[in-house]
Amino acid sequence: MSLARTHPRPEPAADRGTDLPALRLDRLPEITRALAARADTHDREASFPADGIALVHDAGLLTATVAARHGGPGAGLTDTVRILRALGTGDPAVALISAMTLFVHAAEARTPRWPTAAYAEFLDTAAVRPALVNHLRVEPELGSPVRGGLPATTAHRAGDHWLLTGRKIYSTGAVGLDRMLVWARTDEDPVRVGSFLVPGDSPGLTVEPTWDHVGLRASRSDDVLLDRVRVPVDDVVALAAPGPATPDAVSGAWGALGLTALYLGVAEAARDWLVGFLHERVPTGLGAPLATLPRFQSAVGEIETALTGATVLVDALAAAVDAGDPDAPGRAGAAKLLGTRAAIGAVEQALQLTGNHGLTRAGPLQRHYRDVLCSRIHTPQDDSLLTAAGRAALDRHPLAAKDTQ
């Protein structure tokens, strides 16, 4: 179900401000439980979790990172990590869809780049209903944009509008997006690239239900087809000549730490189920719960220790980023690698301990495992992180200078 298409778009109201929902972090436990109660159904049906997104919106979590100058709470990365871990524990598809919107608001809070009127209209929408936004960058031939290359999606100037044509894949939450930041190239000479602001209900835009993955099935990361979609000429973010992008370390840290927190939430849900199972399972030959056996106590201790270490690291780096520590963003990639490995390892160990009980589709553990594996696909990926870390360590050695002579 599309949130953008089931509610009328409000008229911008310059005289009332944004009046966004109040941020209620105290409601996180309640919302986590409500999301968890519906997560299995959405996973089985691969259905867009509009009900969960509505809960997140009502508690002010979806607009938590809107800047104070726009009437928002101005939440930093510390609170965002807390939000995404809690949502990930309940339903990681809801968490991932929400994360994309939180990241866009946070980036706009740090460095305003949207056209003023377009952002004001988007916030007016967010004041009355869930307003989702995401970057659409990945294409069939391009692969991951961070690996280089130009988009095949083109923008043709036609008077006071651009006409966009192309296909985007892996577009998280596509069917529910109110705004899509579509990365495209102009057909000018010389060519320029930028992100074009496309309403989700634009004529010529079609969401093709192609998403049929093993994990995060309810994220509805479907294909988006654009056939001469009209975009006002000024509704473009960062339109410029193509060239090597200057990495935004802070934005990278938000993505790395925020998404790692999400998957640590998945692992926490798996741990909680495992602990309950070990207390409830009483083999007749033992006459006591499995939780009383030292072997299981030690295994749960390993899971708990790994998740605690990863969570503390993510939280500490998030706080350091908020405090303006110049070294913190550069360490976020390492935290992502360590955190996602801890999350995957925890769920794998829970499966090993429970065997067939953990793999049955009647229980949630197999779903947690499928979902947590998706942590590996997010940028920056492990090979890039390890290569960068190894190169930096090698370059610090005194002999490194001789290698380049």
Side-chain angles (χ1 to χ4, degrees):
M1 179 170 63
S2 169
L3 296 174
R5 294 173 185 138
T6 56
H7 299 272
R9 182 175 299 151
E11 293 297 324
D15 59 337
R16 67 165 172 80
T18 56
D19 197 23
L20 298 171
L23 178 59
R24 294 287 306 276
L25 294 175
D26 61 303
R27 291 187 59 193
L28 281 174
E30 161 204 340
I31 291 172
T32 297
R33 290 191 295 271
L35 294 180
R38 289 282 298 165
D40 182 68
T41 298
H42 284 301
D43 174 78
R44 287 176 181 269
E45 298 174 353
S47 54
F48 183 81
D51 50 353
I53 296 296
L55 288 174
V56 174
H57 164 78
D58 291 343
L61 304 174
L62 201 57
T63 48
T65 55
V66 174
R69 66 179 178 274
H70 294 302
L77 184 52
T78 302
D79 283 335
T80 301
V81 159
R82 177 183 173 189
I83 290 168
L84 293 178
R85 185 161 55 243
L87 299 184
T89 303
D91 185 343
V94 172
L96 185 63
I97 294 166
S98 300
M100 301 301 107
T101 294
L102 287 168
F103 294 161
V104 170
H105 283 309
E108 187 66 13
R110 292 191 305 275
T111 307
R113 304 180 80 177
W114 282 45
T116 301
Y119 193 61
E121 181 185 0
F122 184 57
L123 291 181
D124 281 333
T125 303
V128 297
R129 63 169 175 82
L132 300 171
V133 60
N134 195 5
H135 287 273
L136 272 55
R137 296 177 62 86
V138 186
E139 296 179 348
E141 295 81 13
L142 182 63
S144 175
V146 299
R147 307 279 182 167
L150 289 174
T153 302
T154 58
H156 173 72
R157 179 72 180 267
D160 61 352
H161 282 73
W162 296 99
L163 298 176
L164 266 64
T165 299
R167 176 188 287 266
K168 296 295 182 180
I169 62 176
Y170 304 145
S171 306
T172 297
V175 72
L177 295 179
D178 190 271
R179 292 291 187 278
M180 302 178 181
L181 287 161
V182 179
W183 191 49
R185 64 195 296 177
T186 67
D187 60 0
E188 306 165 313
D189 186 14
V191 66
R192 293 184 293 169
V193 295
S195 294
F196 294 76
L197 282 162
V198 180
D201 57 358
S202 296
L205 187 152
T206 304
V207 176
E208 212 172 81
T210 54
W211 183 250
D212 190 21
H213 275 43
V214 170
L216 287 174
R217 290 169 49 75
S219 72
R220 296 310 320 169
S221 300
D222 292 307
D223 288 12
V224 173
L225 280 65
L226 304 108
D227 182 12
R228 295 175 62 82
V229 174
R230 290 167 62 90
V231 177
V233 69
D234 293 329
D235 281 4
V236 188
V237 176
L239 187 61
T246 302
D248 179 356
V250 174
S251 290
W254 273 72
L257 297 175
L259 295 181
T260 301
L262 184 163
Y263 290 105
L264 286 170
V266 176
E268 289 178 7
R271 175 208 59 202
D272 292 345
W273 181 88
L274 171 65
V275 168
F277 172 83
L278 294 177
H279 278 293
E280 294 167 0
R281 181 71 173 165
V282 183
T284 55
L286 178 63
L290 292 177
T292 63
L293 294 180
R295 178 172 76 87
F296 288 101
Q297 294 169 356
S298 176
V300 172
E302 286 191 12
I303 292 172
E304 190 72 8
T305 300
L307 294 183
T308 298
T311 299
V312 168
L313 176 60
V314 169
D315 288 350
L317 282 176
V321 170
D322 284 342
D325 182 343
D327 296 326
R331 295 169 178 159
K336 175 184 181 292
L337 189 145
L338 293 171
T340 55
R341 284 184 174 180
I344 292 171
V347 184
E348 285 181 337
Q349 191 162 7
L351 282 171
Q352 291 170 358
L353 291 171
T354 57
N356 284 329
H357 298 284
L359 286 171
T360 177
R361 285 179 61 85
L365 192 56
Q366 49 78 31
R367 170 166 51 85
H368 297 324
Y369 185 55
R370 290 185 284 108
D371 287 340
V372 81
L373 289 177
C374 295
S375 64
R376 290 175 170 153
I377 68 171
H378 298 292
T379 301
Q381 293 166 338
D382 288 3
D383 63 325
S384 297
L385 289 171
L386 291 170
T387 299
R391 185 175 296 152
L394 291 167
D395 288 347
R396 287 195 296 268
H397 194 278
L399 293 177
K402 295 183 179 180
D403 293 339
T404 61
Q405 294 177 356

